[in-house]
Amino acid sequence: MQNYDNQTAGTRKTFRGLPPPTISIADPVDGLLQHRDLESTITVSFPTWPDAVEGDYYQLLIDNLISGEQKQLGSNPTPGEILTLEIFMSDRWEEGAHTLAYYTQYFIGGTPNVSPSTPFIIDRTPPGGDS
């Protein structure tokens, strides 16, 4: 898995106005993902960026590492339309605090933009257990 910071050194920028992603099943206060949440695919959502055009790419970043499937916008993307990406929190993500963001990349020009990150916490403790 590649580190996004190293992969795009010198070209990464944060797109002002791009909202952070949302993890619907995470606790709204602290971003906690419980053991039961980690057993299935987690859906992440965010709106289409204002200047999105057909062919633009988007993908998730967990702790600045490119994660999950890269997708491409179809025809006539509508700004504000909710996009979703799915990720499975396999054993490669350790228990503890992490960050989630997404990047967009223009189809023409290839300039990547990175969203602000959303913090989340992985808790692998089984219900009623202490380990």
Side-chain angles (χ1 to χ4, degrees):
M1 188 173 297
Q2 294 180 316
N3 184 310
Y4 187 76
D5 287 329
N6 294 335
Q7 180 183 8
T8 59
T11 61
R12 174 184 166 167
K13 69 176 186 173
T14 299
F15 184 72
R16 295 173 198 251
L18 200 68
T22 302
I23 308 169
S24 62
I25 62 172
D27 184 281
V29 175
D30 62 7
L32 181 68
L33 291 172
Q34 297 179 21
H35 185 268
R36 71 175 179 269
D37 300 330
L38 303 173
E39 295 173 358
S40 61
T41 303
I42 295 171
T43 301
V44 177
S45 60
F46 50 90
T48 304
W49 47 104
D51 58 349
V53 296
E54 179 181 354
D56 285 356
Y57 299 96
Y58 55 101
Q59 191 167 10
L60 294 176
L61 300 169
I62 297 179
D63 296 336
N64 286 323
L65 297 174
I66 296 172
S67 303
E69 177 185 7
Q70 182 184 66
K71 288 192 176 181
Q72 196 169 15
L73 291 176
S75 62
N76 302 322
T78 304
E81 174 184 355
I82 301 300
L83 300 174
T84 60
L85 288 169
E86 293 182 340
I87 191 154
F88 186 73
M89 291 291 174
S90 64
D91 292 336
R92 75 172 174 235
W93 301 109
E94 296 179 9
E95 186 168 62
H98 299 274
T99 60
L100 174 74
Y102 59 95
Y103 80 92
T104 66
Q105 189 166 359
Y106 298 121
F107 179 67
I108 298 174
T111 305
N113 296 299
V114 179
S115 75
S117 63
T118 296
F120 68 97
I121 301 169
I122 293 177
D123 180 2
R124 294 195 181 279
T125 306
D130 56 1
S131 59

